Coordinates of all heavy atoms in Angstrom, one line a residue:
V456 N 103.3 125.0 122.5 CA 103.3 125.1 123.9 C 104.6 125.6 124.5 O 104.6 126.3 125.5 CB 102.9 123.8 124.6 CG1 104.1 122.8 124.7 CG2 102.3 124.0 126.0
V457 N 105.7 125.3 123.8 CA 107.0 125.8 124.2 C 107.1 127.4 124.2 O 107.4 128.0 125.2 CB 108.1 125.2 123.4 CG1 109.5 125.9 123.6 CG2 108.3 123.7 123.7
P458 N 106.7 128.0 123.0 CA 106.7 129.5 123.0 C 105.7 130.1 123.9 O 105.8 131.3 124.3 CB 106.6 129.9 121.6 CG 106.0 128.7 120.9 CD 106.5 127.5 121.7
A459 N 104.6 129.3 124.2 CA 103.5 129.9 125.0 C 104.0 130.4 126.4 O 103.6 131.4 126.9 CB 102.4 128.9 125.2
F460 N 105.0 129.6 127.0 CA 105.4 129.9 128.3 C 106.7 130.7 128.4 O 107.2 131.0 129.5 CB 105.6 128.6 129.1 CG 104.2 127.9 129.4 CD1 103.8 126.9 128.5 CD2 103.4 128.3 130.4 CE1 102.6 126.2 128.8 CE2 102.2 127.7 130.6 CZ 101.8 126.7 129.8
K461 N 107.3 131.0 127.2 CA 108.4 131.9 127.1 C 108.3 132.8 125.9 O 109.2 133.0 125.1 CB 109.7 131.1 127.0 CG 110.1 130.3 128.3 CD 111.5 129.7 128.3 CE 112.5 130.9 128.4 NZ 113.9 130.4 128.5
Y462 N 107.1 133.4 125.8 CA 106.8 134.2 124.7 C 107.7 135.4 124.5 O 108.1 135.7 123.4 CB 105.3 134.6 124.7 CG 104.9 135.5 123.5 CD1 104.7 134.8 122.3 CD2 104.8 136.8 123.6 CE1 104.3 135.6 121.2 CE2 104.4 137.6 122.5 CZ 104.2 137.0 121.3 OH 103.8 137.7 120.2
D463 N 108.0 136.1 125.6 CA 108.8 137.3 125.5 C 110.2 136.9 125.0 O 110.8 137.7 124.2 CB 109.0 137.9 126.9 CG 107.7 138.5 127.4 OD1 106.8 138.9 126.5 OD2 107.5 138.7 128.6
Y464 N 110.7 135.8 125.4 CA 112.1 135.4 124.9 C 112.0 135.1 123.4 O 112.9 135.6 122.6 CB 112.6 134.2 125.6 CG 113.8 133.5 125.1 CD1 115.1 134.1 125.2 CD2 113.7 132.4 124.3 CE1 116.2 133.5 124.7 CE2 114.8 131.8 123.8 CZ 116.1 132.4 123.9 OH 117.2 131.8 123.3
Y465 N 111.1 134.3 123.0 CA 111.0 133.9 121.6 C 110.5 134.9 120.6 O 110.8 134.9 119.4 CB 110.1 132.6 121.4 CG 110.7 131.4 122.0 CD1 110.2 130.8 123.1 CD2 111.8 130.8 121.4 CE1 110.8 129.6 123.6 CE2 112.4 129.6 121.9 CZ 111.9 129.1 123.0 OH 112.4 127.9 123.6
S466 N 109.9 136.0 121.1 CA 109.4 137.1 120.2 C 110.4 138.2 120.2 O 110.1 139.2 119.5 CB 108.1 137.6 120.7 OG 108.2 138.1 122.0
H467 N 111.6 138.1 120.8 CA 112.6 139.1 120.7 C 113.9 138.5 120.0 O 114.0 137.3 119.8 CB 113.0 139.6 122.1 CG 112.0 140.4 122.7 ND1 110.8 139.9 123.3 CD2 111.9 141.8 122.8 CE1 110.1 140.9 123.7 NE2 110.7 142.1 123.4
P468 N 114.8 139.4 119.6 CA 115.9 138.9 118.7 C 116.6 137.7 119.2 O 117.1 136.9 118.4 CB 116.8 140.2 118.6 CG 115.8 141.3 118.8 CD 114.8 140.9 119.8
A469 N 116.8 137.6 120.6 CA 117.6 136.5 121.1 C 117.0 135.1 120.7 O 117.7 134.1 120.5 CB 117.7 136.6 122.6
G470 N 115.7 135.0 120.6 CA 115.1 133.7 120.4 C 114.3 133.6 119.1 O 113.5 132.7 118.9
I471 N 114.4 134.7 118.3 CA 113.5 134.8 117.1 C 113.8 133.6 116.1 O 112.8 133.1 115.4 CB 113.7 136.1 116.4 CG1 112.5 136.4 115.5 CG2 115.0 136.2 115.6 CD1 111.2 136.6 116.2
H472 N 115.0 133.2 116.0 CA 115.3 132.1 115.0 C 114.7 130.8 115.5 O 114.2 130.0 114.7 CB 116.8 132.0 114.8 CG 117.4 133.1 114.0 ND1 117.0 133.5 112.8 CD2 118.3 134.1 114.4 CE1 117.7 134.6 112.4 NE2 118.5 135.0 113.4
A473 N 114.7 130.5 116.8 CA 114.1 129.3 117.3 C 112.6 129.4 117.1 O 111.9 128.4 116.8 CB 114.5 129.2 118.8
F474 N 112.1 130.6 117.3 CA 110.6 130.8 117.1 C 110.2 130.5 115.7 O 109.2 129.8 115.4 CB 110.3 132.2 117.5 CG 108.8 132.6 117.5 CD1 107.9 131.7 117.9 CD2 108.4 133.8 117.0 CE1 106.5 132.0 117.9 CE2 107.0 134.1 116.9 CZ 106.1 133.2 117.4
Q475 N 111.0 131.0 114.8 CA 110.8 130.8 113.3 C 110.9 129.3 113.0 O 110.0 128.8 112.3 CB 111.8 131.6 112.5 CG 111.7 131.4 111.0 CD 112.8 132.2 110.3 OE1 113.6 132.9 110.9 NE2 112.8 132.1 109.0
A476 N 111.9 128.6 113.6 CA 112.0 127.2 113.3 C 110.8 126.4 113.8 O 110.3 125.5 113.1 CB 113.3 126.7 113.9
M477 N 110.3 126.8 115.0 CA 109.2 126.0 115.6 C 107.9 126.3 114.8 O 107.1 125.4 114.6 CB 109.0 126.5 117.0 CG 110.0 125.9 118.0 SD 109.6 126.2 119.7 CE 110.0 127.9 119.9
Y478 N 107.7 127.5 114.3 CA 106.6 127.8 113.5 C 106.6 127.0 112.2 O 105.5 126.4 111.8 CB 106.5 129.3 113.1 CG 105.3 129.7 112.4 CD1 104.0 129.9 113.0 CD2 105.3 129.9 111.0 CE1 102.9 130.2 112.3 CE2 104.2 130.2 110.3 CZ 103.0 130.4 111.0 OH 101.8 130.7 110.3
F479 N 107.7 126.9 111.5 CA 107.8 126.2 110.3 C 107.7 124.7 110.5 O 107.1 123.9 109.8 CB 109.1 126.4 109.6 CG 109.2 127.8 108.8 CD1 110.3 128.5 108.8 CD2 108.0 128.3 108.2 CE1 110.4 129.7 108.1 CE2 108.1 129.5 107.5 CZ 109.2 130.2 107.5
L480 N 108.2 124.2 111.7 CA 108.1 122.8 112.0 C 106.6 122.4 112.3 O 106.2 121.3 112.0 CB 108.9 122.4 113.2 CG 110.4 122.2 112.9 CD1 111.2 122.1 114.2 CD2 110.6 121.0 112.0
S481 N 105.9 123.4 112.9 CA 104.5 123.1 113.1 C 103.7 123.0 111.8 O 102.8 122.1 111.7 CB 103.8 124.2 114.0 OG 103.7 125.4 113.3
S482 N 104.1 123.8 110.8 CA 103.5 123.6 109.5 C 103.8 122.3 108.9 O 103.0 121.6 108.3 CB 103.9 124.8 108.6 OG 103.5 126.0 109.0
F483 N 105.1 121.9 109.0 CA 105.5 120.6 108.4 C 104.8 119.4 109.0 O 104.3 118.6 108.3 CB 107.1 120.5 108.6 CG 107.6 119.1 108.2 CD1 107.9 118.9 106.9 CD2 107.8 118.1 109.1 CE1 108.4 117.6 106.5 CE2 108.3 116.9 108.7 CZ 108.6 116.6 107.4
F484 N 104.8 119.4 110.4 CA 104.2 118.2 111.0 C 102.7 118.2 111.0 O 102.0 117.2 111.1 CB 104.7 118.1 112.5 CG 106.0 117.5 112.7 CD1 107.1 118.3 112.9 CD2 106.1 116.1 112.5 CE1 108.4 117.7 113.0 CE2 107.4 115.5 112.7 CZ 108.5 116.3 112.9
N485 N 102.1 119.4 110.7 CA 100.6 119.4 110.5 C 100.3 118.7 109.2 O 99.3 118.0 109.1 CB 100.1 120.9 110.4 CG 98.6 120.9 110.4 OD1 98.1 121.3 109.3 ND2 98.0 120.6 111.4
Q486 N 101.1 118.9 108.1 CA 100.9 118.2 106.9 C 101.4 116.7 107.0 O 100.7 115.8 106.5 CB 101.6 118.9 105.7 CG 101.4 120.4 105.7 CD 100.0 120.8 105.8 OE1 99.0 120.2 105.4 NE2 99.8 121.9 106.5
F487 N 102.5 116.5 107.6 CA 103.1 115.2 107.8 C 102.5 114.6 109.0 O 103.1 114.2 110.0 CB 104.6 115.3 107.9 CG 105.3 113.9 108.1 CD1 105.0 112.9 107.2 CD2 106.1 113.7 109.2 CE1 105.6 111.6 107.4 CE2 106.8 112.5 109.4 CZ 106.5 111.4 108.5
G488 N 101.2 114.6 109.0 CA 100.4 114.2 110.2 C 98.9 114.3 110.0 O 98.4 113.9 109.0
P489 N 98.3 115.0 110.9 CA 96.8 115.0 111.0 C 96.1 115.6 109.7 O 95.1 115.1 109.3 CB 96.4 115.8 112.2 CG 97.7 116.6 112.6 CD 98.8 115.8 112.1
N490 N 96.7 116.6 109.1 CA 96.0 117.2 107.9 C 95.9 116.2 106.8 O 94.9 116.2 106.1 CB 96.7 118.5 107.5 CG 95.8 119.3 106.6 OD1 94.6 119.5 106.9 ND2 96.3 119.9 105.5
S491 N 96.9 115.4 106.5 CA 96.8 114.4 105.5 C 96.0 113.2 105.9 O 95.2 112.6 105.2 CB 98.2 114.0 105.1 OG 98.9 115.1 104.5
V492 N 96.3 112.7 107.2 CA 95.7 111.5 107.6 C 94.2 111.6 107.8 O 93.4 110.7 107.4 CB 96.3 111.0 108.9 CG1 95.6 109.7 109.4 CG2 97.8 110.8 108.7
T493 N 93.7 112.8 108.4 CA 92.3 112.9 108.6 C 91.5 112.8 107.3 O 90.4 112.2 107.2 CB 91.9 114.3 109.3 OG1 92.6 115.3 108.6 CG2 92.4 114.3 110.7
F494 N 92.0 113.4 106.2 CA 91.4 113.3 104.9 C 91.2 111.9 104.4 O 90.2 111.5 103.8 CB 92.2 114.2 103.9 CG 91.5 114.2 102.5 CD1 90.5 115.1 102.2 CD2 92.0 113.4 101.5 CE1 89.9 115.1 101.0 CE2 91.4 113.4 100.3 CZ 90.4 114.3 100.0
L495 N 92.2 111.1 104.7 CA 92.2 109.7 104.2 C 91.3 108.8 105.0 O 90.4 108.1 104.5 CB 93.6 109.1 104.2 CG 93.8 107.6 104.0 CD1 93.3 107.2 102.6 CD2 95.3 107.2 104.2
V496 N 91.5 108.8 106.4 CA 90.8 107.8 107.2 C 89.3 108.1 107.4 O 88.5 107.2 107.6 CB 91.5 107.7 108.6 CG1 92.9 107.3 108.5 CG2 91.4 109.1 109.3
A497 N 88.9 109.4 107.1 CA 87.5 109.7 107.3 C 86.7 109.0 106.2 O 85.4 108.9 106.4 CB 87.3 111.2 107.1

Side-chain angles (χ1 to χ4, degrees):
V456 80
V457 169
F460 292 97
K461 293 193 69 176
Y462 181 76
D463 289 338
Y464 170 77
Y465 287 112
S466 60
H467 286 80
I471 197 67
H472 291 298
F474 185 42
Q475 181 180 354
M477 285 187 288
Y478 183 78
F479 284 143
L480 281 172
S481 72
S482 295
F483 173 83
F484 278 103
N485 185 250
Q486 315 312 324
F487 181 52
N490 198 43
S491 294
V492 177
T493 50
F494 182 82
L495 170 64
V496 298

